[in-house]
Amino acid sequence: MGRLTTHVLDTAAGRPAAGLRLEVWAMEPEPRFLKAATTNADGRVETPLLAGEEFLGGVYELRFFVGEYLRIHGLALPDPAFLDVIPIRFGIADAGQHYHVPLLFSPYAYSTYRGS
């Protein structure tokens, strides 16, 4: 069964991004908010972000609220912050597969990939 998961790492601090808020959006035919979640102590969400009947092919966006996370953890950011909300837009071509979208970030850079 297909599903969508994520894992978020704070590379500047060298640890999982625990307590980071994120949102899941469907982008077609119009942007539509699906759900919000918060990462656990391991930087993961306890359950898949999408699974079963709600996991369909199409274009999606994960929005990671890294500026909020960094401020909560005591980092002084410029105003406006260089990175505040990181949107990752991606396509699901086969809803029968596992799509894992990790985020590695610091206050001034981020990377992602399709994980397993």
Side-chain angles (χ1 to χ4, degrees):
M1 175 186 353
R3 65 194 186 282
L4 173 63
T5 58
T6 191
H7 187 201
V8 188
L9 300 173
D10 177 346
T11 57
R15 64 179 177 231
L20 186 136
R21 188 169 60 93
L22 62 103
E23 295 177 347
V24 183
W25 289 73
M27 301 309 290
E28 296 175 337
E30 297 292 325
R32 180 173 44 97
F33 172 79
L34 298 177
K35 67 172 60 173
T38 302
T39 57
N40 64 17
D42 192 36
R44 300 175 188 272
V45 176
E46 295 291 334
T47 60
L49 296 168
L50 297 174
E53 293 179 5
E54 66 182 357
F55 187 67
L56 305 170
V59 177
Y60 292 85
E61 188 171 282
L62 293 177
R63 297 178 185 175
F64 298 89
F65 293 83
V66 299
E68 175 183 279
Y69 165 87
L70 291 167
R71 287 182 191 95
I72 287 169
H73 285 81
L75 193 63
L77 298 175
D79 187 22
F82 182 69
L83 295 174
D84 189 24
V85 178
I86 297 175
I88 300 176
R89 189 171 294 186
F90 57 96
I92 294 174
D94 181 353
Q97 293 188 15
H98 178 194
Y99 283 73
H100 184 68
V101 182
L103 174 67
L104 293 76
F105 75 92
S106 75
Y108 296 97
Y110 70 92
S111 65
T112 190
Y113 55 93
R114 180 172 173 195
S116 59

